[in-house]
Structures are given as structure tokens and as C-alpha cells.
Amino acid sequence: MYHCTVTLLVVEDKEEYIVYKGQKFTVEWYFDQNVKSQSRDYFFALDDAGKQKLLYLVKRLGDFGKISDKTKFNFEEDGIWAFKPKPDRFLSFFTTGKKVIITNAFEKKCQKLPKKEKDKAINCKNDYETRVKGGIYYDNLRTSNEKS
């Protein structure tokens, strides 16, 4: 059994979607302009065993900077990587500041990565990069939480 815990950090009473902060990488949930995170919601809907499978992989990447087993973490092209805790997939990308952003998640039902899921991940990556460049990605999260 994997033993690891997810960390939802609170900074100045504002939620930051950090899954795990390791020595090599910080892994975060992607959230959209409405401060919704499909991947985070999917994760929390999993049973404990499903959560532990992902957290083991996230911790490994965060602490060691790589996962050599391609059956557990694989490059899917177009800057998208997949955490692969069976039977689920969590798509992600690497970004500046030693961060990995988990964009979307789904249950694997076929051999090949569904185009629809990969396109979602690419759209999330583009949105993230645009909003970070504009200085509004993390500000949007903080502003939304101040209203709550």
C-alpha cells in the first residue's frame, strides 16, 4: 500500500492548489478562470487506493525529478505528460518555476490517449501560460477566495 498525503496549502487564508511540493518539483492542480479544477475534483472522487496510486507517482516526481517507468509516467507529445495510475490518467505539463500542472483526469478505456482528453490538456496548458504571463492566474485564485 502506498502511504502519502495530499496537501492543500493555505497561504494567507487563500487556497493554493498544490498537490505536493518536493525537492525537484512542485505539482499543482490546474484551475480554470472560474476557479474550478476538473483534475482535483476527479482525484477527490477516487477511493483511497486510487488516490494513493497517484500520490505515490506525484511524490516520486516531486522528490526525484523523474519517473523512469513509462507505464507510470509518459510523454504524450505536444508538451503533455501522463501520470498513469491504473485505471486512471492524469494529464499534465511542465512549466517554469519547477512546476508540474495537472490539467485533467479520466478513466482509461482504450489503448490510445483519446484526442478529446489531450486537446483539453493542451487548452488548459495554453490558458495557464496566457494567464500566468498576464499576471492573473494566481491572482484570480486569491481574488475568488477573498469573495468566499
Side-chain angles (χ1 to χ4, degrees):
M1 177 55 85
Y2 304 114
H3 294 343
C4 184
T5 57
V6 68
T7 305
L8 179 60
L9 294 180
V10 177
V11 179
E12 300 174 20
D13 296 326
K14 300 171 188 90
E15 288 182 331
E16 293 283 349
Y17 286 90
I18 296 176
V19 182
Y20 182 76
K21 186 170 182 134
Q23 292 180 350
K24 299 285 186 179
F25 290 104
T26 297
V27 182
E28 298 181 9
W29 304 115
Y30 164 81
F31 56 92
D32 65 19
Q33 293 182 21
N34 297 317
V35 195
K36 301 291 182 206
S37 177
Q38 184 274 336
S39 55
R40 182 177 181 273
D41 292 346
Y42 185 94
F43 172 82
F44 281 109
L46 293 173
D47 63 17
D48 288 345
K51 290 175 188 168
Q52 293 303 322
K53 288 177 186 178
L54 175 66
L55 292 175
Y56 173 81
L57 296 174
V58 164
K59 186 176 186 323
R60 181 126 185 107
L61 182 65
D63 288 343
F64 299 104
K66 68 178 182 175
I67 299 172
S68 298
D69 184 347
K70 289 184 179 187
T71 67
K72 300 295 180 192
F73 188 68
N74 192 47
F75 182 61
E76 301 292 343
E77 299 180 355
D78 300 314
I80 303 301
W81 291 78
F83 287 99
K84 299 164 73 174
K86 290 181 182 181
D88 304 300
R89 295 294 180 265
F90 289 80
L91 301 184
S92 62
F93 63 92
F94 289 82
T95 188
T96 58
K98 295 185 177 182
K99 292 182 183 179
V100 177
I101 310 298
I102 301 176
T103 58
N104 55 309
F106 59 97
E107 184 176 344
K108 179 189 171 196
K109 294 182 179 177
C110 60
Q111 283 297 101
K112 194 169 180 178
L113 174 63
K115 181 176 176 5
K116 177 178 103 172
E117 296 297 340
K118 185 176 176 185
D119 288 347
K120 279 185 201 175
I122 291 169
N123 289 337
C124 292
K125 180 179 183 285
N126 292 338
D127 176 65
Y128 173 89
E129 291 170 345
T130 299
R131 291 192 297 149
V132 165
K133 187 175 180 180
I136 60 172
Y137 183 79
Y138 294 100
D139 289 344
N140 183 24
L141 175 63
R142 289 183 181 101
T143 302
S144 173
N145 285 327
E146 288 170 356
K147 292 176 186 174
S148 300

